[in-house]
């Protein structure tokens, strides 16, 4: 979104009450020429427009009741992805608009905002937020959309210590993905609670994500499709996480390392229970608690995996893998395991 020359710095918006006047505007709006700005300790009806570089949105109370067009945290005209969204409380009561834009977090979901003009390295930090969605209408919309559409800077995504709850499965998708430019150098997730919220992380062929980490303390319950999905990545680490009541697979890793020479997947200390609650038995690649396809090395260790939902479901299905190492896991239920090279 445009060339961004920083001319405005050191701005505070603090201890204020703000409300949007229309459904298509945010209550607080910064522009692409802004840097070092702080939105803190406010009460906001609507959302914030985050642009420029080095912005901080912390310790605010958001209620979204009238806003149906713009996300609560809307990123645009980014000089850098280096922004902090931390320790906010959000109650979302508005309608959810269908489409590619994220209705809570949107960064380049349906427009080029993280693009070639985003040329300063940075980390987007989303931490310590409590977000509850009580939407009245909406379907097939994503809770979060973060996309790189041309930036070649060193961009990282960190999501940790959040509580996200959505009142219906079909508007709970979270998506972080690469379109063009340089892939996110790190996608890091730790110690979150996802209730009816799923997470999908995607590279593309020839621009695989180099480092994707899902670390201890995260709980998934319910969600949209598979609870955790990764496509096209060079290294994936999933450890110390809990997955229950997934509509499809709990974990779906279609790594697509066709030659099986590069990609590595390490899974340990997982609890994977009661998957496939929508009864997706017998459907290719969706009839297992854990599915992994096309990687050099896959390891599963010290994990508990099982369901009593159906007799013919696989606990894990590992296909097109050069080396598969299975450690000391606890498995139960009437399902089986499937591996193929």
């Amino acid at each position: 979104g445009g060339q961004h020359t920083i001319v405005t710095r050191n701005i505070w918006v603090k201890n204020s009450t703000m409300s949007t006047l229309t459904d298509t505007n945010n209550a607080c709006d910064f522009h692409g020429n802004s840097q070092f700005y702080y939105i803190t300790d406010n009460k906001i009806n609507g959302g914030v427009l985050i642009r420029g570089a080095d912005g901080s949105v912390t310790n605010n109370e958001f209620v979204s009741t009238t806003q149906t067009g713009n996300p609560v945290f809307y990123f645009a005209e980014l000089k850098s992805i280096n922004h902090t969204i931390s320790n906010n409380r959000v109650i979302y009561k508005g309608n959810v608009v269908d489409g590619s834009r994220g209705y809570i977090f949107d960064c380049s979901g349906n427009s080029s905002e993280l693009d070639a003009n985003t040329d300063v390295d940075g980390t987007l930090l989303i931490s310590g937020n409590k977000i509850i969605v009580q939407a009245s209408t909406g379907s097939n919309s994503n809770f979060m959309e973060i996309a790189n559409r041309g930036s070649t800077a060193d961009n990282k995504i960190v999501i940790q210590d959040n509580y996200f709850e959505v009142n219906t499965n079909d508007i709970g998708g979270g998506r972080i993905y690469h379109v063009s430019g340089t892939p996110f150098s790190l996608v890091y997730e730790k110690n979150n609670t996802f209730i009816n919220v799923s997470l999908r992380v995607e590279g593309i062929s020839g621009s695989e994500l180099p480092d994707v980490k899902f670390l201890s303390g995260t709980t998934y319950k319910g969600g949209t499709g598979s609870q955790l999905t990764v496509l096209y990545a060079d290294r994936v680490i999933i450890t110390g996480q809990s997955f229950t009541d997934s509509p499809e697979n709990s974990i779906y890793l279609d790594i697509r390392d066709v030659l099986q020479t590069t990609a590595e997947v390490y899974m340990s200390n997982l609890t994977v229970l009661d998957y496939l609650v929508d009864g997706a038995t017998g459907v290719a690649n969706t009839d297992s608690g854990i599915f992994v396809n096309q990687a050099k090395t896959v390891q599963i260790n010290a994990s508990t995996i099982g369901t009593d939902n159906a007799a013919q479901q696989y606990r894990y299905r590992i296909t097109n893998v050069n080396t598969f190492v299975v450690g000391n896991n606890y498995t139960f239920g009437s399902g089986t395991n499937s591996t193929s090279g």
Side-chain angles (χ1 to χ4, degrees), residues 13-78:
V13 179
K14 183 177 176 66
N15 291 329
S16 299
T17 299
M18 292 169 278
S19 180
T20 183
L21 297 178
T22 71
D23 286 352
T24 57
N25 293 317
N26 292 88
C28 186
D29 183 349
F30 279 79
H31 285 251
N33 60 359
S34 302
Q35 185 181 26
F36 304 131
Y37 57 90
Y38 309 92
I39 305 168
T40 185
D41 299 312
N42 302 289
K43 294 184 178 180
I44 301 173
N45 183 3
V48 294
L49 224 171
I50 302 158
R51 298 191 260 203
D54 302 299
S56 177
V57 183
T58 61
N59 202 38
N60 301 283
E61 294 185 10
F62 289 87
V63 177
S64 184
T65 55
T66 61
Q67 183 179 4
T68 60
N70 280 344
V72 176
F73 302 102
Y74 184 12
F75 297 84
E77 297 177 9
L78 293 173

Side-chain angles (χ1 to χ4, degrees), residues 126-146:
I126 299 173
S127 69
N129 302 286
K130 183 174 183 179
I131 300 175
I132 297 176
V133 176
Q134 301 171 346
S136 54
T137 62
S139 62
N140 300 319
S141 295
N142 280 340
F143 180 93
M144 173 188 294
E145 287 271 345
I146 300 174

Side-chain angles (χ1 to χ4, degrees), residues 6 8 12 26 37 40 46 86-87 96 99 108 121 160 177 238 244 256 265 286 308:
I6 302 295
T8 305
W12 287 83
N26 292 88
Y37 57 90
T40 185
S86 182
N87 298 320
V96 174
S108 210
D121 299 347
Q160 63 185 23
Y177 58 104
I238 309 171
T244 60
R256 302 183 190 177
V265 177
T286 62
D308 294 319

Side-chain angles (χ1 to χ4, degrees), residues 51-248:
R51 298 191 260 203
D54 302 299
S56 177
V57 183
T58 61
N59 202 38
N60 301 283
E61 294 185 10
F62 289 87
V63 177
S64 184
T65 55
T66 61
Q67 183 179 4
T68 60
N70 280 344
V72 176
F73 302 102
Y74 184 12
F75 297 84
E77 297 177 9
L78 293 173
K79 181 67 174 175
S80 172
I81 202 173
N82 203 62
H83 295 270
T84 296
I85 312 298
S86 182
N87 298 320
N88 300 285
R89 283 84 59 205
V90 179
I91 301 294
Y92 188 96
K93 298 182 179 180
N95 299 329
V96 174
V97 178
D98 297 344
S100 59
R101 175 178 291 180
Y103 64 90
I104 299 294
F105 298 96
D106 185 81
C107 178
S108 210
N110 65 353
S111 57
S112 295
E113 306 297 348
L114 179 58
D115 61 9
N117 294 307
T118 310
D119 56 7
V120 175
D121 299 347
T123 299
L124 173 58
L125 173 62
I126 299 173
S127 69
N129 302 286
K130 183 174 183 179
I131 300 175
I132 297 176
V133 176
Q134 301 171 346
S136 54
T137 62
S139 62
N140 300 319
S141 295
N142 280 340
F143 180 93
M144 173 188 294
E145 287 271 345
I146 300 174
N148 184 2
R149 299 184 183 274
S151 173
T152 58
D154 183 356
N155 298 308
K156 298 178 174 67
I157 308 292
V158 175
I159 302 172
Q160 63 185 23
D161 303 320
N162 300 283
Y163 180 91
F164 299 147
E165 180 177 350
V166 175
N167 65 340
T168 181
N169 283 354
D170 60 356
I171 57 171
R175 189 177 178 215
I176 301 169
Y177 58 104
H178 177 77
V179 178
S180 61
T182 300
F184 296 114
S185 62
L186 174 67
V187 178
Y188 176 99
E189 180 274 320
K190 182 179 181 181
N191 198 39
N192 298 288
T193 298
F194 297 119
I195 307 297
N196 291 327
V197 175
S198 59
L199 187 59
R200 184 180 180 95
V201 179
E202 303 176 43
I204 60 175
S205 179
S207 294
E208 292 77 8
L209 298 174
D211 197 7
V212 182
K213 296 177 180 178
F214 308 95
L215 303 184
S216 299
T218 293
T219 297
Y220 292 82
K221 184 177 178 61
T224 302
S226 299
Q227 290 173 324
L228 178 59
T229 299
V230 180
L231 309 180
Y232 293 108
D234 282 337
R235 187 173 71 151
V236 180
I237 297 174
I238 309 171
T239 184
Q241 303 210 340
S242 174
F243 302 83
T244 60
D245 298 330
S246 177
E248 295 180 7

